[in-house]
Amino acid sequence: MTDIKKRQAILIGNGDLNITNLIETYYDTTQLIIVLDGAIEKVQHFKKIKPQVLLGDFDRGFVIETWKEKYPDLQIIHAPDQEKTDFEKAIEYLIENKFTSIIALGITGKRMDHTFNNISSLAKYNQLIDIKIIDPHSIIYCIDEQNVYVKRFEKDSIISLLPIGTVKGISTENLVYNLTNEDLELGVRTGSSNAVLEKGEVKITIKKGKLLVMECND
């Protein structure tokens, strides 16, 4: 794998993993592959991917020896704390081990409670580590007053702004429905299904709160 200054990990959950091309896209710039619990069952079918860390509570008749035999160098971390999700435990493990960036795959899927919890967890850790949740239809970030979101897009690309609680002082540039020092509040007003006005740079800033920025495609 490429030796780069930032330490990036691919974190693979047990959700929607119809993303073989995404794993391969990020694989060569990644220093660690960490897999959550039962997701190892899916990961074994990706021939190129060799996980280095398996983390979870292993509470469903998990046979660890099977995976040690398949991946002899695999580090297995039993994390039974039921007050945190496996996703949160893995994020904290990566922060403790000085990683600076996480590409989180298989974090969304059939169980909406799991999906909602995982996405909302971005707000808990966004000041400690850069996390992108990626699935076949979305790339999800969390920004706050310390982060400016700047990225180039094609015209008509879909950008949704979803607040965690209340977010104050949101300003945007180059969206069809721009915001100028405005507030969004979950359950009251959100910025779902906005779009890029013209090909070029989109900029989003906020004054207070945690804002999910979702780059979406159908």
Side-chain angles (χ1 to χ4, degrees):
M1 296 181 185
T2 304
D3 182 17
I4 56 177
K5 288 184 179 180
K6 75 173 183 177
R7 299 192 71 208
Q8 178 175 280
I10 292 177
L11 187 160
I12 302 177
N14 199 24
D16 186 351
L17 277 177
N18 185 24
I19 45 175
T20 307
N21 62 320
L22 286 174
I23 294 177
E24 293 180 351
T25 295
Y26 292 103
Y27 185 78
D28 290 331
T29 57
T30 294
Q31 286 70 51
L32 186 77
I33 308 291
I34 181 168
V35 179
L36 304 185
D37 213 318
I40 194 77
E41 298 273 359
K42 298 177 182 177
V43 169
Q44 67 175 322
H45 301 297
F46 299 126
K47 294 180 180 178
K48 184 177 179 180
I49 306 304
K50 290 183 171 55
Q52 292 130 297
V53 176
L54 174 61
L55 180 149
D57 51 26
F58 311 131
D59 61 352
R60 297 186 180 182
F62 205 78
V63 182
I64 291 175
E65 290 74 16
T66 300
W67 305 109
K68 283 295 289 183
E69 182 176 342
K70 187 173 182 64
Y71 303 110
D73 297 326
L74 184 66
Q75 179 184 2
I76 296 176
I77 300 174
H78 183 216
D81 184 358
Q82 296 301 310
E83 296 300 315
K84 296 177 182 177
T85 66
D86 285 345
F87 185 42
E88 291 174 317
K89 296 170 200 173
I91 293 171
E92 292 180 4
Y93 169 85
L94 293 169
I95 291 170
E96 289 168 7
N97 284 276
K98 310 302 182 185
F99 281 83
T100 59
S101 176
I102 299 173
I103 304 299
L105 309 174
I107 298 301
T108 63
K110 294 179 180 179
R111 285 282 300 270
M112 191 53 61
D113 54 344
H114 291 172
T115 296
F116 185 84
N117 252 340
N118 289 337
I119 293 174
S120 65
S121 292
L122 296 185
K124 183 176 180 179
Y125 298 102
N126 78 299
Q127 291 187 354
L128 301 175
I129 191 167
D130 176 53
I131 308 172
K132 298 180 183 67
I133 292 178
I134 305 177
D135 68 19
H137 300 287
S138 307
I139 301 177
I140 307 170
Y141 309 81
C142 182
I143 66 170
D144 57 28
E145 58 269 24
Q146 297 183 22
N147 309 116
V148 176
Y149 176 93
V150 180
K151 192 170 178 180
R152 295 186 65 83
F153 290 94
E154 295 295 320
K155 176 181 171 63
D156 297 327
S157 298
I158 301 300
I159 307 288
S160 287
L161 309 180
L162 300 179
I164 299 288
T166 301
V167 180
K168 295 186 174 294
I170 305 168
S171 295
T172 68
E173 297 177 13
N174 195 29
L175 295 180
V176 173
Y177 305 104
N178 273 319
L179 302 177
T180 303
N181 195 30
E182 297 180 52
D183 301 344
L184 295 178
E185 182 178 353
L186 190 65
V188 178
R189 182 195 182 199
T190 68
S192 182
S193 296
N194 211 324
V196 176
L197 182 63
E198 299 291 347
K199 179 179 179 179
E201 190 174 274
V202 170
K203 182 176 180 181
I204 304 168
T205 61
I206 69 175
K207 290 183 177 178
K208 185 177 182 181
K210 304 274 188 174
L211 181 69
L212 297 174
V213 180
M214 300 186 178
E215 303 165 7
C216 304
N217 63 84
D218 293 330

